[in-house]
């Protein structure tokens, strides 16, 4: 469900999903407000949102591996977060 939390940056319209078409409005389309499965943008948008959250929590992203976040590395209370999406 992670990809469902990405905020779209561009305007994306889609046809009405089967089973949700209202009588008399068959020619209308839906404006997406959030990303969903199948969109090429979904993984990138989710990653941007996750990265922004981690930076708000005072984590730094490793310049060697973008899946590694670090915090307080100069102290004995260092935190390392390894991100894996499978």
């Amino acid at each position: 469900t992670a990809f469902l939390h990405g905020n779209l940056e561009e305007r994306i319209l889609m046809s009405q999903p089967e089973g949700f078409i209202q009588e008399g409005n068959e020619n209308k389309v839906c404006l997406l407000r959030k990303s969903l499965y199948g969109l090429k943008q979904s993984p990138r948008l989710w990653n941007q949102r996750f990265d922004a959250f981690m930076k708000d929590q005072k984590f730094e992203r490793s310049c060697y591996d973008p899946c590694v976040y670090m915090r307080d590395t100069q102290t004995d209370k260092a935190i390392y977060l390894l991100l894996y999406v499978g």
Side-chain angles (χ1 to χ4, degrees):
T1 62
F3 288 168
L4 300 178
H5 297 285
N7 296 321
L8 294 172
E9 297 171 350
E10 54 274 320
R11 184 180 163 114
I12 298 178
L13 301 171
M14 65 175 265
S15 59
Q16 295 180 52
E18 202 173 304
F20 292 92
I21 299 173
Q22 294 179 346
E23 192 173 319
N25 293 320
E26 294 87 0
N27 295 325
K28 291 190 175 183
V29 295
C30 298
L31 172 65
L32 293 181
R33 294 187 179 172
K34 295 277 188 176
S35 83
L36 50 84
Y37 290 111
L39 285 179
K40 292 179 182 177
Q41 299 92 329
S42 295
R44 179 179 53 84
L45 293 171
W46 177 83
N47 189 277
Q48 287 175 345
R49 187 167 177 181
F50 181 82
D51 187 60
F53 174 79
M54 293 305 290
K55 288 178 179 174
D56 285 347
Q57 302 301 313
K58 309 292 189 251
F59 279 82
E60 296 177 37
R61 194 176 206 173
S62 170
C63 58
Y64 300 106
D65 187 341
C67 295
V68 176
Y69 289 86
M70 305 164 291
R71 182 173 164 182
D72 300 325
T73 56
Q74 303 302 319
T75 70
D76 61 346
K77 297 186 186 220
I79 301 171
Y80 294 90
L81 183 129
L82 307 170
L83 176 65
Y84 172 77
V85 179

